Amino acid sequence: MKRIWNHALRALTLLGASVATAGAVHAATATPAEIRVDYAYYSPESLVIKRYGWLEDEFKPDNTQIKWVLSLGSNRALEYLNSGAVDFGSTAGLAAVLGKANGNPIRAVYVFSRPEWTALVVRKDSAIKSLADLKGKKIAATRGTDPYLFTLRALHTVGLTRDDVEIVNLQHPDGRTALANGQVDAWAGLDPHMAAAQVDDGARLLYRNVDFNTYGFLDAREAFIQQYPQAVARVLKVYEKARVWIVAHPDDAAKIVAEESKVSLPVAKLQLQRTDFSHPVPGEQQIAALKSAAPILSAEDLVKPGTDLPKVIDALIDTQIAQPVVTASRGQ
């Protein structure tokens, strides 16, 4: 009798372990009731996906709701990711490094573009002709974003730092307005607002450097990646669909960007003309670019002393999730 009882206990124990294991697997692969995604005027894919309802279509069989949240800049997207207000956020690469270094639990899972989306902008009648002329001047920039970090890197090329100028912290569209109204001398622009300033206001790009424009990343919360890996892959499948569609339909894409961003069609076309959509998988190219750019974060005391930025970058860039998604979309 005792032997039978022991066998029964062992069987119940094994059954319980099997149920627990199955439950853990289910928890790791289940689809959430809601997926929160940002959309941003600097992320054309997000605008196309939102317009056509492709995420809603993808997750309709699962009864998963899609919640869209507008990000006006990388700083906002990073705030939303850090607070859990969104599961996916659109940021510039170096801004994502800054967020990760300061404790934001994110990973970059997809490259939505390599844009030349920022430059230093002045009014068409400005007497400022070079970066050196910015010493002592007011520059509008959104702290924690690629344009802000672009500005610091640009200043360093002529031996200036942020202490040599007055940086006025304004969100990107407000920076454009401040420049047009003469409240600042220069503005760290971001498309499509920068393109609009050029086309509509006649603004002049004082300093351009495409190498100082870091990649556009779709970042995801690490907790979401761990709990819903299949859902992450499905979101990336939709982003990849949008990327391929934009490349194949540039005029239609420009119309969507214009309508969603409330800019003219020529402005949207200018934005897309200087955006490269050809490298969607995060990898060594992005890691190398960010490691080259990262010293500005230490030089300007934007991270804690002793922060191992190369280690932060390696932890940020997820090279695994997007590759099979992109490969599958290409029919390979």
Side-chain angles (χ1 to χ4, degrees):
M1 184 70 180
K2 184 176 180 181
R3 183 179 296 175
I4 294 173
W5 178 246
N6 286 338
H7 279 302
L9 282 175
R10 186 177 301 169
L12 286 170
T13 301
L14 291 172
L15 177 62
S18 297
V19 171
T21 300
V25 171
H26 177 74
T29 58
T31 304
E34 181 180 73
I35 298 177
R36 297 157 296 179
V37 188
D38 83 341
Y39 67 103
Y41 303 141
Y42 49 86
S43 170
E45 285 95 331
S46 70
L47 303 182
V48 170
I49 293 167
K50 182 173 179 287
R51 168 66 66 89
Y52 288 125
W54 287 342
L55 271 179
E56 288 82 354
D57 291 344
E58 171 67 27
F59 288 95
K60 186 176 181 179
D62 307 278
N63 295 315
T64 295
Q65 300 299 309
I66 305 298
K67 179 181 179 182
W68 291 98
V69 178
L70 175 63
S71 288
L72 291 176
S74 295
N75 62 324
R76 289 286 184 259
L78 289 165
E79 288 171 11
Y80 298 150
L81 285 162
N82 201 32
S83 68
V86 298
D87 303 305
F88 296 87
S90 311
T91 74
L94 194 55
V97 174
L98 178 59
K100 182 81 168 178
N102 288 324
N104 202 328
I106 57 171
R107 279 154 62 185
V109 295
Y110 188 78
V111 179
F112 60 81
S113 73
R114 172 69 192 278
E116 186 187 2
W117 54 15
T118 188
L120 282 169
V121 188
V122 294
R123 291 182 299 279
K124 61 182 178 181
D125 58 351
S126 174
I128 296 172
K129 303 299 181 184
S130 69
L131 287 174
D133 294 338
L134 290 174
K135 186 172 183 178
K137 304 297 185 181
K138 291 183 179 181
I139 305 173
T142 310
R143 294 188 189 279
T145 67
D146 219 33
Y148 177 76
L149 299 171
F150 176 95
T151 300
L152 299 183
R153 296 179 77 188
L155 291 173
H156 276 226
T157 65
V158 291
L160 301 177
T161 72
R162 60 178 168 172
D163 293 331
D164 294 306
V165 299
E166 181 182 345
I167 296 182
V168 181
N169 185 29
L170 294 171
Q171 281 297 144
H172 302 300
D174 298 327
R176 176 195 171 190
T177 301
L179 179 69
N181 293 340
Q183 295 168 300
V184 295
D185 303 292
W187 166 50
L190 181 73
D191 275 338
H193 312 292
M194 183 170 73
Q198 290 179 263
V199 174
D200 300 337
D201 306 339
R204 176 166 51 88
L205 301 188
L206 174 72
Y207 179 77
R208 302 173 68 174
N209 188 335
V210 68
D211 290 334
F212 284 3
N213 286 250
T214 55
Y215 293 82
F217 286 147
L218 184 67
D219 305 316
R221 294 189 299 112
E222 289 183 335
F224 189 91
I225 296 171
Q226 292 168 5
Q227 188 169 5
Y228 305 112
Q230 291 182 359
V232 174
R234 290 169 68 186
V235 169
L236 297 196
K237 181 179 75 172
V238 174
Y239 265 80
E240 179 63 7
K241 176 181 178 179
R243 183 190 69 84
V244 171
W245 185 89
I246 289 169
V247 172
H249 303 88
D251 291 339
D252 292 331
K255 290 178 183 177
I256 291 175
V257 170
E259 291 169 5
E260 292 291 330
S261 305
K262 297 179 176 59
V263 297
S264 68
L265 188 58
V267 167
K269 287 185 175 181
L270 178 57
Q271 175 186 353
L272 293 180
Q273 284 168 7
R274 52 191 180 207
T275 302
D276 180 1
F277 295 99
S278 63
H279 299 287
V281 180
E284 292 304 319
Q285 185 176 2
Q286 288 74 31
I287 291 172
L290 291 176
K291 286 183 178 179
S292 175
I296 192 68
L297 303 181
S298 298
E300 290 285 347
D301 298 321
L302 298 176
V303 295
K304 294 178 181 177
T307 299
D308 188 341
L309 288 171
K311 184 178 179 180
V312 170
I313 292 166
D314 289 337
L316 170 69
I317 304 299
D318 192 312
T319 62
Q320 302 300 315
I321 301 176
Q323 185 63 69
V325 174
V326 174
T327 300
S329 76
R330 292 173 178 170
Q332 298 176 348

